[in-house]
Amino acid sequence: MTVLDGDEVTTVVPAAAVRVHVLRAAGTSVVVAARIDGLPEVLHWGRDVGDVVPEDADDLVLALARAVSPSAFDAAWPLTVLPTEHDGWEGRPALAGQVDGRPLVPVWRDVVVAADDRVLTVDAVSDDVSLHSAYVLDDAGVLRVRHALTNTGAGTVEVQALEAVLPVGERAAEVLDLAGRWTRERTPQRRVMTDGVHVRESRRGRTGHDAPTLTVLGTAGFDDTTGELWAVHPAWSADSVHRYDRLAEARPVLGAGELLRAGEIVLAPGETFTAPDTVFVWSDAGLDGLAARSHDSLRARPGHPRTPRPVVLNTWEAVYFRQELEPLLALARVAADVGVERFVLDDGWFTGRRSDTTALGDWTVDAEVWPDGLGPLVAGVRSHGMEFGLWFEPEMVSPVSALAVEHPDWFLQAPEETRTWRHQYVLDFARADVREHVLDRMSAVIGEHHVDFVKWDQNRDVVQTVHAGRVGLDAHTRGVYAVMDELRRRHPWLEIEACASGGARVDLGVLERTDRVWASDSNDAMERLPIQRWTELLLPLELIGSHVGPEVSHTTGRHLDLDFRMAVSLFGSAGIETDVTRCSPAELDRLREWTALYKRERGLLHSGRVHHLDLGDPGLDATLVVGADRDRALVRVARIVTGPRSLAVPLRLRGLDRARRYRIAPVTGLRVPKGVDVTRTPWLERGSLELSGAVLEDVGVRMLALAPGTALVLEVQAIA
């Protein structure tokens, strides 16, 4: 018997009553079967299957019903949304813990499932705990999952794991995730999926330079444009788990969650633990299709930046700790002259800060360096029409600081038991008095000078944390979030950048309360190309800070041409991080043209669809951004190493309207490189071409034979 009530289908099949719910959006669907005798089961997560009509509901459930395998449980068992041993699941449990020392293996009853076409909630109880889960499918087809567990018994409940998992298609054959180190974040690694339980843990106390960022399972041979993919990302800024399980007895599952240490989460009667959100993304259009969904989802957030992303000048690589008023005013004058819109004073402005060995925690303006306070600098910056930003590292404390002497009890780590990192320890943000102290000190400076922008840095891994006698990382991280949220509430105009010794805090948890991330401390544009490309798998360009660094990178010692550095920075939230007062007049002219180009094109770059182009030459990196209406596009082709052939390959574009005609030409604002050929590329010698979108996609235009360390940026404009 089948009953259809709105979007809900109730089906009666042998041994259990089942109600089928379908979440649908943007070509994606999640099909869930809710049974009366336990938690629901996800039957499908992937391409939209359309409406489940009454006559199909019974057959859909039966189509995926499992038989009893030999040498296995004597009855068929469901792969529930929170699988544990009680369900028959022998992979990594999604829920684990103890109740007064006994294993926590709930037997769920009174299960209530409610759904419409976008949101499904699950409520269930057992003898010791209750569960509330929410599955929200947004307009981009991105699914967010949140689990909350409440202690409903008389004893204590220790939560050891509360992770979100979803089944993926059995055709999944390869796994891709990211790794890396400082100044080389988000390095892709790819391998064949194998059987078993596979877990990547991050135990760095922050997201980490080596964070997986996303774990992607895909069909064999998937690439930027082809293949079916299933991806997961934990929206959390501390220790995390990425996992996939491929067992002989079950469908493969993909999941993630917070990594909990022993004794970290202990619930007294009535207390609730809400796990961080886990984000799931499906695509049948390869990696770029996956990124497109993620970008669309983030751009639809209420708090997503809506104003044009300003050209930033950060003072770090211009002056380091050498802060003096007149040189900084000169820097501001030149910055404004070349088109900078936001001037950010980095580390070194506060009391006693002459190097990275002292003074963290003492957030008052250094009277010796700034005898008249920051006011004269702020006024000078604003007199040129620029916003003013300031660097903080609020979570940290230097052993040599007034705060450490006054409040040794505020440390999250015991100094006698823990190693320093960059000569610093961590403040315990789980403490209300610590949070209030930091908020008051930051607010005093921000309020006095109406600081527009805070670069919030965090320069060490967080290990051996203790709060109230047990592991304190979860409570500390939530405290950090609370301070960010309160800072924004007190100063509603304020924007925040998440920096963590570069790109060690790139996740959707911190981005719920910040306006961009600093992708890496490497301003070597050659290193930045892959870092930014793989950051783009999760984040749109406007959230990725990218600056034009010095001619010689301080992290690699590499010399790079100014136009190449500008071309790389253009495709991001762009800025400058070098001493522009030392630039030649010709270099300043080029920077001025580049900032004008960025201001002209940022509307396109920060709203368009990103495509990564495989041109058949492994030495080329090509990124294309196509506007939503497909009227315009911008493409950057950069040469990383020499190619295998003398003849330059054609540049073939994707995402244009095949029926329209376009003009393609070098952008105004960046020079066309000379190239290595004896003569110039014929069409570039003429200056432009006019071709159809179909020709540009299927045939392309012959590229300039670029030398390593050079780039060509072209604009594409519809003319018919």
Side-chain angles (χ1 to χ4, degrees):
M1 179 181 70
T2 302
V3 178
L4 181 65
D5 181 15
D7 291 321
E8 300 182 357
V9 179
T10 302
T11 306
V12 178
V13 297
V18 181
R19 176 170 291 175
V20 173
H21 303 273
V22 182
L23 309 182
R24 301 179 61 197
T28 301
S29 66
V30 182
V31 182
V32 180
R35 304 176 185 275
I36 63 171
D37 56 350
L39 294 181
E41 178 178 7
V42 174
L43 302 180
H44 169 77
W45 165 43
R47 185 178 290 113
D48 189 0
V49 297
D51 293 324
V52 178
V53 296
E55 55 269 27
D56 289 344
D58 294 359
D59 286 351
L60 175 61
V61 174
L62 289 173
L64 295 176
R66 61 179 299 147
V68 176
S69 305
S71 187
F73 291 109
D74 292 329
W77 52 272
L79 181 60
T80 71
V81 293
L82 206 66
T84 65
E85 294 175 44
H86 176 74
D87 300 305
W89 174 246
E90 294 175 291
R92 179 183 174 91
L95 170 63
Q98 297 185 82
V99 182
D100 287 338
R102 295 179 287 106
L104 173 63
V105 185
V107 179
W108 300 108
R109 63 180 186 274
D110 300 331
V111 179
V112 177
V113 179
D116 56 27
D117 61 348
R118 293 295 181 87
V119 180
L120 181 141
T121 60
V122 180
D123 290 279
V125 299
S126 75
D127 289 341
D128 304 299
V129 294
S130 66
L131 174 71
H132 176 77
S133 299
Y135 295 75
V136 180
L137 190 68
D138 68 19
D139 289 345
V142 173
L143 182 71
R144 275 189 175 248
V145 179
R146 178 179 296 177
H147 295 307
L149 196 72
T150 300
N151 180 358
T152 57
T156 59
V157 174
E158 178 184 345
V159 183
Q160 297 168 342
L162 185 56
E163 299 166 8
V165 299
L166 285 178
V168 304
E170 273 90 347
R171 295 194 306 126
E174 297 182 38
V175 56
L176 178 144
D177 59 11
L178 308 179
R181 58 166 172 80
W182 179 68
T183 68
R184 205 172 189 272
E185 296 88 340
R186 283 168 294 289
T187 301
Q189 53 185 14
R190 185 164 173 166
R191 56 209 176 274
V192 173
M193 285 179 65
T194 55
D195 288 346
V197 178
H198 300 265
V199 177
R200 271 196 69 186
E201 296 181 347
S202 173
R203 292 177 174 267
R204 299 185 177 275
R206 55 181 176 173
T207 322
H209 294 104
D210 62 344
T213 307
L214 293 120
T215 295
V216 181
L217 305 182
T219 50
F222 70 83
D223 57 23
D224 289 330
T225 60
T226 63
E228 188 173 12
L229 307 177
W230 301 262
V232 67
H233 169 84
W236 180 240
S237 304
D239 290 354
S240 63
V241 171
H242 289 238
R243 44 84 65 91
Y244 78 87
D245 304 57
R246 193 169 79 169
L247 307 181
E249 305 88 356
R251 290 182 291 162
V253 302
L254 175 67
E258 180 182 359
L259 187 155
L260 298 173
R261 309 295 183 97
E264 185 168 8
I265 303 297
V266 179
L267 303 178
E271 290 185 333
T272 297
F273 171 68
T274 301
D277 286 5
T278 302
V279 178
F280 293 90
V281 190
W282 169 84
S283 167
D284 60 354
L287 292 166
D288 283 350
L290 193 76
R293 288 191 185 276
S294 181
H295 297 180
D296 287 349
S297 177
L298 290 168
R299 285 170 171 165
R301 300 173 301 160
H304 194 75
R306 302 297 175 195
T307 57
R309 298 296 79 206
V311 181
V312 174
L313 184 134
N314 187 280
T315 66
W316 178 243
E317 292 190 38
V319 302
Y320 295 102
F321 290 107
R322 303 183 304 275
Q323 294 195 359
E324 300 175 49
L325 177 60
E326 289 306 322
L328 284 167
L329 287 174
L331 185 65
R333 284 194 297 272
V334 177
D337 181 64
V338 300
V340 168
E341 298 164 299
R342 174 180 286 165
F343 184 95
V344 180
L345 182 66
D346 210 288
D347 195 355
W349 58 269
F350 50 98
T351 302
R353 187 69 164 177
R354 300 294 180 275
S355 71
D356 67 356
T357 63
T358 62
L360 286 174
D362 298 341
W363 301 110
T364 55
V365 177
D366 193 312
E368 183 178 337
V369 176
W370 301 99
D372 298 315
L374 291 177
L377 176 63
V378 175
V381 167
R382 292 229 164 88
S383 72
H384 297 294
M386 293 186 292
E387 296 179 352
F388 181 76
L390 200 57
W391 180 95
F392 287 89
E393 192 170 2
E395 297 154 70
M396 301 303 162
V397 57
S398 300
V400 182
S401 65
L403 183 65
V405 172
E406 186 176 354
H407 289 290
D409 54 323
W410 282 7
F411 287 29
L412 185 60
Q413 303 139 320
E416 66 276 8
E417 299 174 1
T418 311
R419 300 173 187 267
T420 55
W421 179 306
R422 208 186 178 200
H423 313 285
Q424 60 196 47
Y425 293 108
V426 186
L427 291 172
D428 184 359
F429 269 53
R431 295 179 58 129
D433 49 1
V434 170
R435 296 195 301 272
E436 196 58 36
H437 171 83
V438 171
L439 276 165
D440 287 348
R441 291 297 178 90
M442 293 183 71
S443 289
V445 180
I446 292 168
E448 179 182 358
H449 301 291
H450 201 280
V451 172
D452 300 287
F453 174 85
V454 163
K455 179 180 179 179
W456 181 304
D457 212 341
Q458 193 261 37
N459 277 306
R460 66 157 293 162
D461 285 354
V462 183
V463 297
Q464 288 186 255
T465 65
V466 179
H467 171 76
R470 61 182 190 237
V471 176
L473 183 58
D474 175 271
H476 167 77
T477 305
R478 294 175 192 267
V480 171
Y481 287 170
V483 171
M484 288 181 172
D485 292 341
E486 176 62 16
L487 204 62
R488 297 287 288 266
R489 189 195 68 78
R490 293 186 186 184
H491 313 286
W493 67 85
L494 185 68
E495 290 197 357
I496 301 176
E497 175 183 60
C499 176
S501 49
R505 194 183 263 171
V506 173
D507 64 78
L508 299 187
V510 78
L511 270 166
E512 289 177 9
R513 48 214 23 109
T514 58
D515 299 277
R516 75 171 197 170
V517 298
W518 185 232
S520 178
D521 272 348
S522 177
N523 269 338
D524 180 325
M526 193 71 79
E527 297 288 312
R528 271 287 186 141
L529 278 170
I531 290 170
Q532 292 178 194
R533 183 263 176 272
W534 291 104
T535 305
E536 292 159 17
L537 188 59
L538 180 67
L539 305 183
L541 303 186
E542 63 269 24
L543 298 181
I544 305 172
S546 177
H547 292 176
V548 177
E551 179 183 357
V552 180
S553 168
H554 81 137
T555 56
T556 65
R558 189 182 348 233
H559 292 245
L560 287 170
D561 177 76
L562 177 58
D563 279 271
F564 183 78
R565 288 176 275 143
M566 293 189 296
V568 173
S569 179
L570 179 68
F571 282 60
S573 179
I576 299 170
E577 195 147 347
T578 189
D579 187 353
V580 291
T581 65
R582 297 187 178 186
C583 291
S584 68
E587 289 172 326
L588 293 176
D589 285 342
R590 288 160 66 190
L591 281 169
R592 199 174 292 111
E593 292 171 356
W594 170 76
T595 59
L597 167 64
Y598 172 72
K599 293 172 185 178
R600 189 169 67 246
E601 300 293 354
R602 60 188 166 190
L604 165 66
L605 291 166
H606 298 166
S607 65
R609 181 74 74 233
V610 178
H611 302 272
H612 298 97
L613 308 177
D614 181 357
L615 303 182
D617 182 337
L620 292 176
D621 178 284
T623 301
L624 167 71
V625 181
V626 180
D629 56 9
R630 296 191 290 178
D631 278 346
R632 301 189 65 251
L634 212 64
V635 59
R636 179 193 63 208
V637 183
R639 170 65 71 184
I640 302 170
V641 296
T642 58
R645 303 177 63 207
S646 299
L647 178 65
V649 296
L651 171 63
R652 295 168 58 190
L653 306 181
R654 288 189 281 110
L656 302 175
D657 186 331
R658 292 176 59 85
R660 300 176 75 178
R661 288 181 59 79
Y662 294 88
R663 178 181 182 271
I664 181 169
V667 296
T668 301
L670 288 171
R671 297 185 307 181
V672 176
K674 181 177 181 296
V676 298
D677 284 335
V678 175
T679 61
R680 294 194 65 184
T681 304
W683 79 268
L684 287 171
E685 183 73 24
R686 192 178 81 177
S688 66
L689 288 172
E690 294 182 4
L691 295 166
S692 71
V695 170
L696 288 171
E697 181 170 4
D698 296 338
V699 180
V701 297
R702 185 72 61 188
M703 265 300 298
L704 169 68
L706 293 167
T710 62
L712 178 66
V713 180
L714 303 170
E715 59 182 345
V716 183
Q717 175 71 55
I719 57 175

